[in-house]
Amino acid sequence: KAGVTQTPRYLIKTRGQQVTLSCSPISGHRSVSWYQQTPGQGLQFLFEYFSETQRNKGNFPGRFSGRQFSNSRSEMNVSTLELGDSALYLCASSLQGGNQPQHFGDGTRLSIL
Amino acid sequence: GNSVTQMEGPVTLSEEAFLTINCTYTATGYPSLFWYVQYPGEGLQLLLKATKADDKGSNKGFEATYRKETTSFHLEKGSVQVSDSAVYFCALNAGGTSYGKLTFGQGTILTVHP
């Protein structure tokens, strides 16, 4: 069974640009969650999608947005990039997103110059 | 709000030593608890879980028991190997409307020497 796939693995952008990250969940999983990992703040929850609907959102500015498609694949978008957005962005999927274990991808490393 | 506190690291051990990584939590209701491990350059892998009080999660020689009275979920292993060197994260899902949200501890770096 294929795991969670995130693309691209690495991205380099400059301040002010925007970026889109992609996540393909494990087959049959309908819940996709996104996290930001930085050395200073650790792992922080961004948002969760289930059946194309955002059900939960963390404390991030509106520049961070996402969506989910009918095949459960998800994208995350960050607009007007800032230096502080440099991080590892992790996607995780689970069957229905309750207290079930989440399965993580290897992440997208975003660097802002 | 919900929070998870892990023992400060890093932790350095010799091969075959006993491992304990402390984890305590604050949450309303009855959270589910998890331990994840992260190897360099990779995402997080689920190590074990427990969904109710007194449950013991176990996997690959690692164990943790959900202790509601002490709000703890300490990770233990009787004999560590060099290959266990990684970062370990304790996490909780608070249930209810916490859809798909894991709250993580700050992580504990474990280094095992031969």
Side-chain angles (χ1 to χ4, degrees):
Chain A
K1 199 174 193 181
V4 177
T5 303
Q6 291 188 247
T7 56
R9 286 298 310 274
Y10 302 94
L11 268 176
I12 300 175
K13 294 287 186 180
T14 58
R15 282 181 297 174
Q17 288 186 310
Q18 74 167 16
V19 67
T20 299
L21 313 181
S22 181
C23 172
S24 293
I26 291 172
S27 178
H29 285 192
R30 296 169 64 192
S31 169
V32 174
S33 298
W34 289 88
Y35 297 86
Q36 182 195 65
Q37 186 177 25
T38 60
Q41 299 298 316
L43 282 152
Q44 295 186 286
F45 172 77
L46 281 154
F47 30 65
E48 186 257 7
Y49 286 87
F50 179 83
S51 291
E52 303 179 66
T53 300
Q54 185 184 90
R55 293 193 301 185
N56 204 355
K57 188 176 189 305
N59 295 323
F60 279 82
R63 301 186 296 108
F64 291 81
S65 63
R67 59 178 176 168
Q68 187 181 34
F69 302 95
S70 58
N71 61 358
S72 294
R73 189 178 70 84
S74 178
E75 288 182 346
M76 183 190 122
N77 185 76
V78 188
S79 63
T80 319
L81 287 165
E82 300 176 359
L83 292 177
D85 297 333
S86 293
L88 180 67
Y89 290 89
L90 293 165
C91 163
S93 74
S94 68
L95 283 170
Q96 296 188 28
N99 62 353
Q100 298 150 354
Q102 295 183 17
H103 300 269
F104 284 79
D106 286 338
T108 294
R109 173 74 63 184
L110 175 63
S111 299
I112 311 302
L113 303 180
Chain B
N2 304 314
S3 66
V4 176
T5 302
Q6 287 181 234
M7 66 183 289
E8 292 186 13
V11 175
T12 302
L13 296 172
S14 298
E15 207 165 23
E16 300 184 3
F18 184 85
L19 168 70
T20 299
I21 300 178
N22 289 339
C23 170
T24 58
Y25 68 89
T26 301
T28 54
Y30 301 94
S32 294
L33 302 174
F34 306 88
W35 277 100
Y36 283 87
V37 58
Q38 186 175 34
Y39 298 98
E42 298 183 9
L44 279 69
Q45 297 178 23
L46 177 67
L47 188 56
L48 52 84
K49 65 179 176 69
T51 57
K52 62 183 186 298
D54 300 325
D55 267 1
K56 177 185 280 189
S58 61
N59 185 29
K60 300 180 181 178
F62 292 91
E63 293 184 338
T65 301
Y66 188 148
R67 301 286 188 199
K68 190 163 179 62
E69 64 277 12
T70 55
T71 61
S72 65
F73 192 54
H74 305 321
L75 181 68
E76 296 182 337
K77 187 176 185 183
S79 176
V80 294
Q81 306 300 313
V82 172
S83 58
D84 293 328
S85 298
V87 184
Y88 291 80
F89 293 93
C90 184
L92 70 82
N93 176 279
T97 57
S98 298
Y99 300 113
K101 178 180 179 179
L102 288 172
T103 299
F104 287 91
Q106 65 270 40
T108 300
I109 300 172
L110 171 65
T111 303
V112 181
H113 293 295

